Amino acid sequence: MTSGGQRSLHQAAVAQFQRAADLIDLEPRYREILSYPKNEIIVNFPVTLDDGSMKVFTGYRIQHNNILGPYKGGLRFHPKVDLDEVRALAAWMTFKTALGGIPFGGAKGGLTINPGDYSIDEMRRIVRRFTHALGSNIGPDHDIPAPDMGTSAETMDWVMDTYANISPPGFRQSVKGVVTGKSIACGGSVGREEATGRGVLYSLRHWCGEHDARLDDLSISVQGFGNVGGHFADLAAQAGCRIKAVADHTGTIVNTDGIDIPKLRRHVDETGGVAGFDMADKVDTEDLFRIETDVFVPAALENQLTLERAKVLSARVVVEAANGPTTREADEHLFANGVDVVPDILANSGGVIVSYFEWLQNKSARAWSFDDVDSRLRELMWVAHDRVVHALRRYDCTRRDAAYIVALDRIIDVYDRRGIFP
Ligand code: GLU
């Protein structure tokens, strides 16, 4: 517990898998193993800033588990990043990759910075120095970072280039897969950038199939208009959904007839946020949760959907595009009130699934077509959703519990076969 008696984010993440562990009577030794990250790497490194001064930065890489394959997960650059958050995010990656049926483990890394405070040259130096400090703690068959909040394809290109340059000459071409989410020119995959948003929409489509609902009948509110929320809103609007409300760090806007997302996109590109968009009304932050919609999609930071906010939510389903957006109390309230929650480790797995496709393309020096990427993404997400629904019926539990049960099944099967060294 933290000093205020509140659970830390990592404790909350552990409690989520322990609930599922209870349902399947998981052996204590596996509970113990999965309650801790395998490795916690903290690096302090100096960077010269544009004005000639020097600043020491602290970077994290938490490697939670690698029983199913190389550690995998994003790098987050945000002022709120801390060790506890990165630990939680790393654990969620282990369950996300297992549930997605891809041969990766779980990791996460980050820097406690606001990238907006630094020039592009400073960011380039920070990223290169961070990569250098991580050194052989990452690698295409060991630990594979990717974009997350505050990082992008450009960041990944810099990580890849730095890693290649510190590798022996004969390996420099074969290490492209050290990161995923690169630009297409540098070995990235078509469809990777919007993959998380696309996967969130596939999740909603699957839910519609289960509930005899139609996408083009649904109204949606979205919290976050970054890479995930923005692409999701765009694709959902194209599929005929009515996006009634969008919120980001600049404000919350509502148009009950539906927000014109392509126009909002142009506005956000020009001004840096949704505030001031003249084809919607500006409302208070808390109104986002009160507005009447069928679907609520949190696509921002953790712990946004609190009990108070869950109590006023009218949505029939919450699709977690963000990692850890729902507090435990809110989760329990929603379940008790028959609101479905499609959990993060399932709903937002499209990003890491297409990261896997990028890694496969790098290994085989091939480029897949968009249709190949998209159809395989859909297939893997569909299989994961079907398995979760199957577990949901069998255990009569929450959808989150069911998702953890499917993920744990995969992980534990491999532990049982491999045994614990020595
Ligand atoms: N950062 C993304 C996530 O939270 C993607 C990770 C990846 O592609 O490795 O799932």
Side-chain angles (χ1 to χ4, degrees), residues 213-283:
R214 288 172 52 108
L215 266 185
D216 55 9
D217 278 341
L218 296 179
S219 60
I220 307 184
S221 47
V222 187
Q223 186 196 36
F225 203 68
N227 179 47
V228 180
H231 279 115
F232 167 75
D234 206 15
L235 294 164
Q238 282 172 37
C241 301
R242 194 150 42 106
I243 313 290
K244 275 192 179 175
V246 176
D248 73 359
H249 62 286
T250 64
T252 303
I253 56 165
V254 172
N255 181 338
T256 48
D257 294 331
I259 295 171
D260 185 327
I261 299 295
K263 286 199 175 124
L264 178 63
R265 162 60 51 211
R266 278 196 291 279
H267 172 81
V268 170
D269 286 346
E270 278 161 23
T271 66
V274 302
F277 183 57
D278 58 9
M279 294 167 75
D281 298 321
K282 179 186 182 309
V283 294

Side-chain angles (χ1 to χ4, degrees), residues 30-49:
Y30 295 139
R31 290 174 187 253
E32 180 117 20
I33 290 173
L34 292 167
S35 296
Y36 300 95
K38 280 191 112 168
N39 304 311
E40 305 196 332
I41 300 142
I42 303 179
V43 291
N44 298 304
F45 55 92
V47 177
T48 307
L49 302 181

Side-chain angles (χ1 to χ4, degrees), residues 72-74 93 96 108 144 146-148 180 192 323 348 351-352 355:
K72 185 82 191 84
M93 286 308 302
K96 195 185 297 186
K108 203 82 171 198
I144 308 151
D148 196 80
T180 56
R192 172 62 186 86
N323 291 310
N348 72 31
V352 74
S355 276

Side-chain angles (χ1 to χ4, degrees), residues 33-327:
I33 290 173
L34 292 167
S35 296
Y36 300 95
K38 280 191 112 168
N39 304 311
E40 305 196 332
I41 300 142
I42 303 179
V43 291
N44 298 304
F45 55 92
V47 177
T48 307
L49 302 181
D50 289 346
D51 65 4
S53 66
M54 190 220 72
K55 188 170 155 66
V56 174
F57 293 84
T58 301
Y60 306 104
R61 186 69 183 169
I62 305 297
Q63 299 170 331
H64 178 260
N65 191 277
N66 65 348
I67 192 76
L68 295 184
Y71 299 109
K72 185 82 191 84
L75 292 177
R76 180 173 290 199
F77 293 178
H78 190 274
K80 291 218 166 78
V81 164
D82 63 22
L83 196 51
D84 173 58
E85 182 192 38
V86 185
R87 276 188 187 129
L89 291 163
W92 283 323
M93 286 308 302
T94 296
F95 297 108
K96 195 185 297 186
T97 52
L99 175 58
I102 57 178
F104 287 141
K108 203 82 171 198
L111 292 178
T112 317
I113 59 168
N114 177 8
D117 291 348
Y118 298 93
S119 72
I120 184 104
D121 278 342
E122 287 172 331
M123 279 316 298
R124 194 184 290 124
R125 288 199 291 277
I126 292 167
V127 170
R128 284 186 178 282
R129 201 52 214 251
F130 182 26
T131 308
H132 185 265
L134 289 173
S136 59
N137 288 300
I138 58 170
D141 293 304
H142 175 47
D143 182 354
I144 308 151
D148 196 80
M149 226 174 246
T151 56
S152 62
E154 188 177 46
T155 324
M156 296 306 121
D157 291 349
W158 296 335
V159 175
M160 185 272 283
D161 184 73
T162 309
Y163 188 84
N165 275 290
I166 58 174
S167 300
F171 291 88
R172 285 183 191 157
Q173 300 305 326
S174 59
V175 296
K176 282 199 177 130
V178 63
V179 280
T180 56
K182 301 176 290 290
S183 68
I184 293 168
C186 289
S189 175
V190 290
R192 172 62 186 86
E193 199 179 273
E194 75 263 33
T196 311
R198 198 171 276 281
V200 175
L201 187 64
Y202 283 145
S203 299
L204 185 56
R205 249 186 221 287
H206 196 281
W207 181 88
C208 283
E210 291 166 49
H211 293 82
D212 237 350
R214 288 172 52 108
L215 266 185
D216 55 9
D217 278 341
L218 296 179
S219 60
I220 307 184
S221 47
V222 187
Q223 186 196 36
F225 203 68
N227 179 47
V228 180
H231 279 115
F232 167 75
D234 206 15
L235 294 164
Q238 282 172 37
C241 301
R242 194 150 42 106
I243 313 290
K244 275 192 179 175
V246 176
D248 73 359
H249 62 286
T250 64
T252 303
I253 56 165
V254 172
N255 181 338
T256 48
D257 294 331
I259 295 171
D260 185 327
I261 299 295
K263 286 199 175 124
L264 178 63
R265 162 60 51 211
R266 278 196 291 279
H267 172 81
V268 170
D269 286 346
E270 278 161 23
T271 66
V274 302
F277 183 57
D278 58 9
M279 294 167 75
D281 298 321
K282 179 186 182 309
V283 294
D284 290 338
T285 311
E286 293 307 313
D287 291 337
L288 176 70
F289 305 93
R290 286 195 204 101
I291 169 158
E292 196 129 326
T293 51
D294 303 306
V295 186
F296 177 63
V297 176
L301 280 168
E302 301 89 18
N303 287 339
Q304 293 300 300
L305 191 49
T306 56
L307 178 60
E308 293 70 41
R309 289 168 169 180
K311 279 183 179 162
V312 296
L313 208 68
S314 65
R316 295 163 60 197
V317 57
V318 174
V319 188
E320 294 185 334
N323 291 310
T326 311
T327 67

